[in-house]
Amino acid sequence: MMMNFPNDDTGLVLAEMQQAGIDLSQVHDVVFFQLFESQQQAQAMADFLAASHPKAKVSVHPDETPNVWDVDCTVAMQPTYDDIIRQETEFEEIAAKFKGYNDGWGIEA
């Protein structure tokens, strides 16, 4: 069944995934990306998530860009538009507390 999505970044990504044959009615590992200027800030968010979101898998690693650190937050979820937006907003608000920012999301293939 083809679903229609709002015309924004999240909606476009979901539409592309659907066209690529990804079954969006199934649970997938959805990864939300946060960027930080220091490893200390990135690790602080990861530590916070370990306590507050024990179901999320969190990975801290250097970005391809020099002096940038990534925090990848993986959540097993059905990638509905509303749930993606809600989860992304939540991680974005947490990242902001540690001087980081949201850098989108994706599904682990």
Side-chain angles (χ1 to χ4, degrees):
M1 177 183 114
M2 296 299 273
M3 292 176 276
N4 289 318
F5 301 102
N7 188 15
D8 62 11
D9 287 348
T10 296
L12 290 171
V13 171
L14 287 167
E16 286 172 6
M17 289 177 172
Q18 184 172 260
Q19 286 164 350
I22 295 171
D23 185 350
L24 300 177
S25 69
Q26 300 294 314
V27 171
H28 293 275
D29 281 342
V30 182
V31 189
F32 298 87
F33 305 106
Q34 322 300 321
L35 297 180
F36 294 84
E37 290 177 4
S38 84
Q39 183 178 8
Q40 191 176 4
Q41 292 162 342
Q43 191 60 53
M45 178 174 180
D47 293 345
F48 178 87
L49 288 174
S52 64
H53 292 70
K55 288 186 178 162
K57 287 186 296 197
V58 181
S59 156
V60 177
H61 57 93
D63 192 79
E64 290 164 9
T65 308
N67 304 314
V68 176
W69 288 81
D70 296 350
V71 176
D72 300 345
C73 311
T74 305
V75 180
M77 63 188 288
Q78 185 181 344
T80 65
Y81 178 84
D82 290 342
D83 288 347
I84 294 278
I85 294 291
R86 185 165 44 248
Q87 188 63 74
E88 188 171 38
T89 300
E90 183 182 356
F91 283 143
E92 192 168 14
E93 288 168 357
I94 295 168
K97 293 178 187 172
F98 301 102
K99 298 186 170 62
Y101 58 93
N102 171 48
D103 190 40
W105 63 276
I107 288 181
E108 280 188 0

